[in-house]
Amino acid sequence: MIPARALAALLLAVAAVTGCGKSGSPPVKGPQPEDLPAYKVDSAFRLPSSPTWERARRRGHLVVGAKEDQPYMGEKDPASGRYSGFDIEIAKMVSASLGFDPKTIEFRTIASANRETALQNGQIDYYVGTYTINDNRKKQVGFAGPYFMAGQSLLVRRDEKDIKGPQDLAGKKVCSAAGSTPFQRLQKEFPQADLVAYDTYSVCVDNLLTYQVDAVSTDDSILLGYAAKVPEELKVVGKPFSKEPYGIGVPRGDNALRFALDDALEAQEKNGDWKRAYEATLGLSGVPAPTPPPIDRYPAS
Ligand code: GLU
């Protein structure tokens, strides 16, 4: 039998996913379109040296990979199909710089483990979804940015007493996403933890709320969003124990697109769009806008 507390947690998890709040406590909803900044479309922009940009021009719009289950970062409203969050705003602001009206973007949900393949086989033009820049991934894809700095952290149930940081994970069931840097770090640096991997973090969180795992580990930016949805059930513990610089993933070798995206990010950090986007999305979870990390315009590859 499911204990009453677990059942309550399960119902809350279902409510969080389906958007049905308990009476009197409406669910945390994504920002409404009228609350979000508008980005100026550079309609004179041309980038014929980028095969990705040319393909999008012929198609008439951009196809962008994203996440759909990460509150405040990349979230899809199941009713309207609308994507919202900080990553989604980044995708929109750089789209405007590339000359494409952000309203025309076709978003596609791509899980952590499938990002490199999606970029390599042309399923998407670029990817914006808590995507850590690292040397290993740079062998397969390119990265514009970084546009944000996150760090690996831990999410536990509010009643958890034993887990205060990664040093307490030995023998505990810990969940993360397949193909993610946090999962790889746990495997390498905390092998005594009992690791489980799913395609998405929301499945991990459901498993946490139903007492099937003891902790979920990934970037603090993602975990704080889940905790904010059910603060009476979940908390983020300890200090971040890695650096996760987020980049915009592009097909490897399309240096023209990568440098154009670097230019766009730099300009939008300067003109205030980046800060406005942050405040309208991730900032709602209570953390004031940080200074974005410097753009790393690494040489053409
Ligand atoms: N930033 C980490 C990564 O790129 C974790 C978040 C994610 O899986 O998207 O692997």
Side-chain angles (χ1 to χ4, degrees):
M1 203 186 89
I2 306 177
R5 191 170 169 74
L7 188 63
L10 179 65
L11 290 174
L12 272 171
V14 171
V17 170
T18 58
C20 314
K22 295 179 291 178
S23 57
S25 70
V28 182
K29 272 240 168 152
Q32 295 306 299
E34 60 273 19
D35 304 330
L36 295 167
Y39 310 107
K40 202 173 166 308
V41 181
D42 182 356
S43 22
F45 185 86
R46 296 287 175 273
L47 199 62
S49 52
S50 159
T52 314
W53 187 90
E54 267 300 322
R55 184 181 59 189
R57 184 191 60 77
R58 282 195 300 273
R59 192 195 294 126
H61 65 274
L62 286 163
V63 181
V64 176
K67 292 289 184 75
E68 69 169 37
D69 64 339
Q70 298 182 175
Y72 301 107
M73 293 300 295
E75 206 174 8
K76 184 178 172 183
D77 178 344
S80 66
R82 201 171 63 85
Y83 285 74
S84 65
F86 182 58
D87 279 333
I88 304 302
E89 289 309 301
I90 295 287
K92 287 184 188 169
M93 69 174 80
V94 298
S95 157
S97 302
L98 294 179
F100 296 94
D101 186 335
K103 285 204 245 3
T104 64
I105 296 178
E106 182 187 335
F107 283 104
R108 283 202 192 144
T109 301
I110 310 275
S112 296
N114 304 330
R115 294 181 280 212
E116 290 80 26
T117 328
L119 286 166
Q120 282 164 343
N121 67 19
Q123 235 175 302
I124 52 175
D125 298 324
Y126 56 82
Y127 186 94
V128 195
T130 61
Y131 198 9
T132 295
I133 303 171
N134 66 31
D135 288 343
N136 211 17
R137 288 177 176 165
K138 274 189 194 166
K139 292 179 194 145
Q140 302 175 68
V141 299
F143 286 104
Y147 62 88
F148 187 76
M149 186 64 82
Q152 184 168 354
S153 210
L154 291 168
L155 181 73
V156 295
R157 287 180 299 270
R158 195 152 269 290
D159 59 7
E160 174 64 54
K161 302 240 159 29
D162 299 346
I163 304 172
K164 298 193 181 75
Q167 72 283 352
D168 304 323
L169 295 179
K172 301 284 182 190
K173 268 209 145 170
V174 187
C175 192
S176 192
S180 70
T181 48
F183 183 72
Q184 286 156 8
R185 186 168 296 100
L186 290 172
Q187 271 183 317
K188 227 171 118 205
E189 293 175 24
F190 303 96
Q192 303 92 329
D194 181 5
L195 294 178
V196 266
Y198 289 105
D199 284 348
T200 63
Y201 299 110
S202 49
V203 173
C204 284
V205 173
D206 289 346
N207 278 276
L208 179 64
L209 287 164
T210 51
Y211 288 73
Q212 291 171 73
V213 301
D214 303 306
V216 178
S217 187
T218 185
D219 304 341
D220 48 1
S221 50
I222 301 172
L223 298 179
L224 288 166
Y226 289 121
K229 286 229 165 181
V230 273
E232 62 283 8
E233 295 293 329
L234 299 174
K235 61 182 178 186
V236 176
V237 288
K239 287 202 188 76
F241 50 98
S242 77
K243 280 207 157 44
E244 309 289 333
Y246 288 171
I248 302 180
V250 297
R252 190 172 189 273
D254 196 338
N255 296 297
L257 179 64
R258 174 157 67 85
F259 293 140
L261 291 173
D262 280 340
D263 289 343
L265 287 171
E266 223 154 46
Q268 273 134 348
E269 287 169 11
K270 245 199 200 136
N271 72 15
D273 279 348
W274 186 97
K275 190 158 185 259
R276 277 189 286 278
Y278 178 93
E279 282 165 356
T281 54
L282 200 51
L284 298 176
S285 69
V287 184
T291 306
I295 301 292
D296 175 20
R297 196 181 297 259
Y298 61 92
S301 54

